[in-house]
Amino acid sequence: MRLPRFCVAGGFESSNRAGAAAPVRADTARLFSSKLIHHLLLPSIAHPLPAAILCLFPAIIWNCQRKDDAWMSSMLSKIKSCFVPAGKKPRTIKTGPFKGIRLNLDLQYQTQMWLGLQERELHSCLHDIGSKLKTGVDVGSMDGEYALYFLRQPNMKHVFACDPSTPFPENLSTNLALNGFTSDPRITGIHKFISDQTSENHCTLDSLAADLEGPCAVKIDVDGGEGDVLRGAEKMLTRRDVYWILETHTAELERECEQVFRSK
């Protein structure tokens, strides 16, 4: 049986837009490149980097080849902290599918988001499906970048922003306002856990969006509960006009999610 369309982020990536592909772990060179951009090149854009720091590059690269990734991350973070101001302020994302979206960001730890480099393995998928979508479901909204991405698509009719945080994520409300979507009738906030059960504080994807107009995209990032969310979406998993975007952090969790897809 052909799998539902899905892609997975978080150190692993897979997609079956042209048939299912095996999960692939990001290699060391790619990881190093990502961290170098995140920790050093960005500060040189926002605040000119002194020549003395530039002189440290050969030593840093040499040591990165000899020591573990934790050392590299610690060293580059310390250098970055000297030049990047702490604190959140409205910033416009520079590149990628979220380009032009304004978010309240702290460059001390959200520089990849600001540059548009976060979760780059998903960018081609998002570019492909954006203009087709009529419904978007953001499970685990947090800052709301996916909800905002959905709202910016030309044919979007309904967006769900789902987050059980108490109070409802302040950053989400702030970022909706920054982009002029505070009173947009297309967006619905769901203040519940999305899982495989229905109760006062829980609901399933099937109860929420199973019958909404497609094509539909569902982004899921709930820190380990992705399998439960999928098990509460039996009807949606049978639809062939739903695109799935999952954030996973372990190989075991990715295998669990793939098993749910393969069972439908």
Side-chain angles (χ1 to χ4, degrees):
M1 180 181 292
R2 184 173 177 271
L3 294 176
R5 301 170 190 177
F6 71 101
C7 45
V8 182
F12 300 86
E13 53 186 283
S14 60
S15 172
N16 76 326
R17 288 184 297 136
V24 179
R25 195 181 289 268
D27 60 26
T28 302
R30 179 176 171 185
L31 179 63
F32 174 76
S33 174
S34 172
K35 287 181 177 292
L36 192 64
I37 290 172
H38 177 57
H39 291 285
L40 281 179
L41 297 188
L42 177 69
S44 72
I45 295 172
H47 303 276
L49 209 58
I53 297 299
L54 290 175
C55 290
L56 294 175
F57 265 76
I60 292 172
I61 293 173
W62 181 75
N63 276 283
C64 286
Q65 295 172 346
R66 300 176 62 249
K67 302 189 178 184
D68 60 23
D69 184 63
W71 180 92
M72 176 187 69
S73 181
S74 175
M75 171 66 74
L76 299 182
S77 292
K78 289 176 182 177
I79 295 174
K80 173 187 167 186
S81 65
C82 297
F83 300 96
V84 179
K88 291 192 173 186
K89 63 178 292 187
R91 302 180 189 275
T92 302
I93 296 178
K94 301 298 183 182
T95 63
F98 302 109
K99 181 179 179 180
I101 291 176
R102 287 178 60 75
L103 297 176
N104 205 31
L105 299 176
D106 186 338
L107 295 189
Q108 286 283 338
Y109 62 94
Q110 292 178 303
T111 52
Q112 289 201 53
M113 175 67 76
W114 177 51
L115 282 179
L117 300 175
Q118 185 160 304
E119 297 175 357
R120 297 186 301 283
E121 64 269 32
L122 301 180
H123 287 190
S124 61
C125 175
L126 293 174
H127 282 302
D128 288 346
I129 68 175
S131 62
K132 306 174 185 177
L133 299 176
K134 294 185 178 179
T135 302
V137 183
D138 186 0
V139 181
S141 293
M142 293 296 290
D143 291 334
E145 66 272 13
Y146 273 91
L148 290 165
Y149 164 81
F150 293 145
L151 287 167
R152 286 162 54 94
Q153 301 313 307
N155 297 309
M156 188 60 59
K157 294 185 177 180
H158 205 153
V159 174
F160 292 94
C162 311
D163 202 293
S165 302
T166 303
F168 203 68
E170 180 181 352
N171 262 0
L172 174 58
S173 300
T174 299
N175 292 332
L176 286 172
L178 284 174
N179 293 272
F181 291 123
T182 299
S183 301
D184 195 303
R186 296 174 298 166
I187 188 166
T188 301
I190 305 297
H191 187 50
K192 290 186 175 184
F193 291 95
I194 308 300
S195 66
D196 57 354
Q197 56 185 293
T198 300
S199 66
E200 181 180 354
N201 298 316
H202 294 75
C203 68
T204 66
L205 276 177
D206 277 349
S207 68
L208 190 67
D211 299 322
L212 288 176
E213 185 175 359
C216 171
V218 182
K219 167 260 180 179
I220 306 172
D221 182 3
V222 290
D223 295 332
E226 287 76 10
D228 290 337
V229 176
L230 291 176
R231 282 185 283 272
E234 291 190 359
K235 292 181 180 178
M236 291 191 73
L237 285 167
T238 64
R239 293 177 54 166
R240 290 297 178 262
D241 61 349
V242 177
Y243 298 85
W244 300 86
I245 302 167
L246 277 70
E247 175 81 18
T248 61
H249 300 283
T250 67
E252 181 180 0
L253 179 57
E254 181 166 318
R255 286 193 294 269
E256 177 187 352
C257 292
E258 287 202 35
Q259 288 174 1
V260 176
F261 280 117
R262 292 180 186 278
S263 68
K264 301 302 175 182

